[in-house]
């Protein structure tokens, strides 16, 4: 180890490298002097300081968020401002809930009180240029809440030839704390806009809920899973035609008695389908007065997750039979 260290010293202070080492030494010293001079100048700097509400009664809930952020513009020498730039977020200002809460579920901290709290923490040489916001307000209640479902909003579009076959939200509902009047008007909460595209695998996102003034939601984030499937055009045969609105004692006979349905759906959805999932009917009220020997058939019900459904044939021959009692 000693030999290695000695070799490095000999290399650095050899004739070939001595001038370079001296240059580096003076370059480092000049950098230090420049930094000292720069930090000794006066600057204006914006810093953020967290505000934390304390001394909250057990039966009270802050509905406007338990922390706020103040943006302060301070003026002083660089040496003095550096601690505020790097660790101001770690030293929040505590607001006593009991001192500033008022009746009717609101509380406020005036500009004068904020200035007193902030200036008491600043060195004598530091000047407070501005504070934003210049006052604080908060809302609270005493436990009024309700459970409401969560829905998502935004643009979520998979790759071409794929489509969204469904989604799952966990949890599917959240607890909302607010004033009684606001609770009555909230029946669903939404996520912030989600924007995802060009994906084909299952997509899972951590979605923050859209904030509402004076409303606290627990939890404030949900996990939404979007499921995709491959689009395919398929056909199911053998769907029976039934008669609806038939008079008592009469039965409809169609020729053919069964029809086919073509549609677009996902591959996984198609594998779970059968002809029993479709109801195709001919309505007696629509053809009873017609002189034609044909009647139209229409889709009455179909499973979810399919689209562009066509029934073939769309018109069938028919007979009305009397049923003996």
């Amino acid at each position: 180890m000693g030999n290695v260290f000695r070799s490095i010293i000999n290399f650095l202070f050899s004739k070939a490298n001595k001038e370079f080492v001296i240059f580096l030494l003076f370059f480092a010293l000049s950098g230090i002097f420049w930094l000292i001079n720069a930090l000794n100048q006066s600057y204006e700097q914006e810093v953020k300081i967290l505000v934390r509400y304390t001394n909250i009664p057990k039966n009270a809930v802050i509905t406007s968020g338990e922390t706020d952020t103040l943006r302060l513009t301070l003026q002083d020498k660089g040496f003095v401002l550096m601690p505020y730039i790097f660790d101001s977020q770690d030293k929040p200002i505590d607001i006593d809930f009991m001192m500033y809460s008022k009746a009717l579920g609101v509380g406020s901290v005036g500009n004068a009180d904020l200035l007193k709290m902030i200036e008491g923490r600043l060195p004598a040489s530091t000047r407070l240029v501005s504070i934003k916001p210049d006052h604080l307000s908060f809302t609270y209640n005493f436990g009024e809440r309700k459970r409401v479902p969560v829905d998502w909003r935004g643009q979520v579009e998979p790759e071409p030839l794929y489509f969204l076959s469904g989604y799952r939200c966990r949890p599917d509902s959240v607890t909302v704390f607010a004033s009684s009047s606001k609770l009555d008007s909230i029946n669903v909460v939404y996520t912030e806009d989600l924007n995802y595209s060009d994906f084909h695998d299952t997509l899972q996102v951590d979605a923050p809920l859209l904030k509402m003034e004076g409303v606290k939601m627990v939890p404030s984030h949900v996990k939404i899973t979007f499921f995709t499937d491959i689009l395919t055009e398929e056909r199911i045969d053998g769907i029976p035609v039934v008669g609806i609105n038939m008079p008592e004692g009469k039965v409809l006979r169609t020729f053919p008695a069964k029809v086919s349905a073509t549609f677009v759906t996902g591959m996984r959805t198609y594998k779970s389908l059968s002809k029993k999932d479709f109801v195709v009917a001919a309505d007696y009220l629509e053809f009873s007065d017609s002189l034609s020997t044909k009647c139209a058939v229409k889709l009455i019900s179909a499973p979810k997750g399919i689209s562009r459904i066509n029934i073939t044939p769309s018109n069938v021959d028919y007979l009305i039979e009397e049923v003996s009692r």
Side-chain angles (χ1 to χ4, degrees), residues 156-176:
V156 180
E157 298 178 354
E159 293 177 355
L161 302 182
Y162 287 82
F163 78 109
L164 286 180
S165 60
Y167 74 95
R168 181 179 64 223
C169 182
R170 290 186 175 175
D172 59 3
S173 59
V174 297
T175 302
V176 175

Side-chain angles (χ1 to χ4, degrees), residues 56-66 97 105 138-145 176-179 214-218:
I56 303 173
K58 290 184 178 180
N59 62 337
V61 178
I62 299 288
T63 57
S64 55
E66 293 184 6
F97 174 89
F138 59 93
T139 58
Y140 65 94
N141 70 13
F142 290 100
E144 293 91 341
R145 72 189 76 181
V176 175
F177 296 85
S179 63
V215 177
K216 180 179 181 180
M217 292 166 280
V218 180

Side-chain angles (χ1 to χ4, degrees), residues 199-213:
F199 63 95
H200 61 270
D201 292 327
T202 298
L203 174 68
Q204 186 176 82
V205 298
D206 182 32
L209 298 180
L210 187 66
K211 294 180 180 179
M212 294 181 281
E213 186 176 354

Side-chain angles (χ1 to χ4, degrees), residues 248-282:
E248 186 177 353
K250 294 186 178 183
V251 175
L252 175 69
R253 305 292 183 191
T254 64
F255 307 95
K258 297 179 179 180
V259 295
S260 301
T262 58
F263 49 88
V264 173
T265 188
M267 184 62 71
R268 285 193 292 268
T269 301
Y270 171 67
K271 291 178 179 179
S272 66
L273 298 178
S274 72
K275 60 185 178 182
K276 295 180 181 179
D277 297 316
F278 299 81
V279 178
V280 176

Side-chain angles (χ1 to χ4, degrees), residues 68-180:
D68 284 307
T69 301
L70 292 174
R71 300 194 309 277
L72 312 179
T73 301
L74 304 178
Q75 185 183 60
D76 207 331
K77 292 184 178 182
F79 283 113
V80 181
L81 294 179
M82 281 185 66
Y84 291 97
I85 297 173
F86 292 108
D87 66 358
S88 62
Q89 296 288 319
D90 298 328
K91 298 178 180 179
I93 292 177
D94 290 336
I95 302 294
D96 190 323
F97 174 89
M98 297 301 292
M99 183 179 298
Y100 295 101
S101 60
K102 300 178 181 178
L104 303 177
V106 296
S108 64
V109 184
N111 180 258
D113 285 350
L114 278 181
L115 289 174
K116 187 183 298 183
M117 295 177 193
I118 295 168
E119 289 176 343
R121 300 173 48 158
L122 298 177
S125 62
T126 303
R127 186 169 75 89
L128 179 60
V129 178
S130 67
I131 175 173
K132 297 179 183 179
D134 59 3
H135 71 284
L136 289 176
S137 60
F138 59 93
T139 58
Y140 65 94
N141 70 13
F142 290 100
E144 293 91 341
R145 72 189 76 181
K146 77 185 223 183
R147 196 82 177 169
V148 296
V150 177
D151 202 355
W152 68 276
R153 55 189 235 172
Q155 294 289 330
V156 180
E157 298 178 354
E159 293 177 355
L161 302 182
Y162 287 82
F163 78 109
L164 286 180
S165 60
Y167 74 95
R168 181 179 64 223
C169 182
R170 290 186 175 175
D172 59 3
S173 59
V174 297
T175 302
V176 175
F177 296 85
S179 63
S180 298

